[in-house]
Structures are given as C-alpha cells and as structure tokens.
C-alpha cells in the first residue's frame, strides 16, 4: 500500500463514527482511480469517434465524462473525510485502477463496447464497496457507492 492511503494527522478530524477506515479508503481510492481512467478514456473516445453515430456518441460520452469528473472530487473528499490522503500520483491511478487501455484503432462500435464493459466493471467494484461500507456502518460511503454504482449501471445500459 502506498503512502497515498496513510492516515493524515489532523487537529480537528471529522468524527465519522467509523473505525478502521483504511479498507474503506482503499476501496474508495480504487474507485477514484477507475473513475479517473474511465473519464480519460471516455473523453478520448469522445474526441475520436467517427461514423454515422458520431453525434449521438459524442453527446453521450460528453455527459458521462462530465459526470465522472465531478464524481472524482466527491470520492476524493470522502477519502479525506475518513482521515486518509486521496491518490495524488498518476502511477497510483494506473496501479489501483481495473480499467485498461484497448490497443489499436477502434471503431465506434468497439468504443461503445469497451466503455460499456468498463462501466460494468466499475459498478461491480462499487457493489463490493457498498457491502464493505454497510458492514462497517459507514452510511455515507455506502450511499456514495450506491449512487455511483447506479450511474455506472445506467451508463453501461445507455451505451
């Protein structure tokens, strides 16, 4: 585990009532990494999509990457509220994320299939985080993970 998840000394910590927050912070850091990588991938596909579905894919991916960019801030703030540092190095984002790059030139259909699979992957990681947060009685993280999971499930469906 990198220092991106060390407990941060704080003279006025937020009292979340949650003990042993490190596993929650790690789960959130993984989801943050997935969110950042998927935001970039979605944005890159937004720029490079071609063909008769250009406009609809271009608009849909723009809505999705804007949502994910805003969500990254919420996720990082929750990590901080739990008393940990959010990942701050690109190497952490790459190491923690389950999202991978596709090789070669992709058609619009390939891009859609790839993004849908990635959204499903993130939704599943969020389901696990929801269960972990529930077992630790961290309703704030549980709610955040549930909300983000719903977004990713819908994004996969829309694609």
């Amino acid at each position: 585990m990198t220092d991106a998840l060390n407990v941060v000394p704080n003279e006025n910590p937020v009292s979340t009532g949650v003990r042993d927050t490190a596993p929650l912070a790690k789960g959130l850091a993984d989801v943050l990494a997935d969110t950042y990588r998927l935001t970039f991938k979605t944005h890159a596909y937004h720029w490079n999509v071609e063909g008769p579905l250009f406009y609809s894919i271009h608009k849909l991916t723009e809505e999705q990457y804007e949502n994910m960019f805003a969500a990254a801030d919420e996720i990082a703030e929750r990590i901080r509220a739990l008393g940990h540092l959010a990942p701050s190095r690109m190497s952490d984002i790459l190491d923690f994320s389950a999202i991978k790059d596709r090789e070669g030139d992709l058609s619009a259909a390939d891009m859609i299939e790839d993004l849908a699979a990635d959204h499903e992957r993130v939704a599943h990681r969020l389901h696990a985080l929801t269960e972990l947060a529930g077992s630790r009685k961290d309703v704030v993280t549980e709610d955040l993970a549930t909300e983000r999971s719903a977004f990713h499930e819908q994004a996969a469906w829309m694609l």
Side-chain angles (χ1 to χ4, degrees), residues 18-127:
V18 179
R19 296 186 191 279
D20 189 22
T21 58
L24 292 165
K26 175 60 177 141
L28 286 162
D30 291 347
V31 169
L32 178 60
D34 289 340
T35 300
Y36 240 82
R37 280 203 71 180
L38 188 51
T39 299
F40 176 79
K41 182 189 275 192
T42 302
H43 209 169
Y45 287 0
H46 165 86
W47 294 324
N48 293 309
V49 68
E50 295 178 330
L53 295 176
F54 167 80
Y55 184 76
S56 58
I57 295 170
H58 189 77
K59 293 303 281 181
L60 179 60
T61 54
E62 183 175 14
E63 292 171 13
Q64 291 177 349
Y65 73 69
E66 286 176 349
N67 179 293
M68 289 185 287
F69 187 79
D73 198 51
E74 291 179 51
I75 296 165
E77 288 174 358
R78 185 61 188 156
I79 295 168
R80 296 295 293 139
L82 291 172
H84 300 268
L85 291 175
S88 58
R89 295 184 301 246
M90 187 55 67
S91 60
D92 290 335
I93 298 300
L94 296 173
D95 290 344
F96 297 168
S97 179
I99 304 301
K100 303 299 178 206
D101 296 327
R102 290 273 306 259
E103 297 297 325
D105 293 332
L106 302 178
S107 68
D110 293 334
M111 291 176 184
I112 291 169
E113 181 182 299
D114 188 36
L115 290 176
D118 285 341
H119 280 288
E120 289 176 6
R121 187 171 293 111
V122 177
H124 289 297
R125 287 186 93 173
L126 284 157
H127 295 165

Side-chain angles (χ1 to χ4, degrees), residues 131-145:
E131 288 180 25
L132 177 64
S135 73
R136 293 176 180 273
K137 301 193 182 342
D138 180 355
V139 296
V140 175
T141 300
E142 185 177 17
D143 285 349
L144 175 61

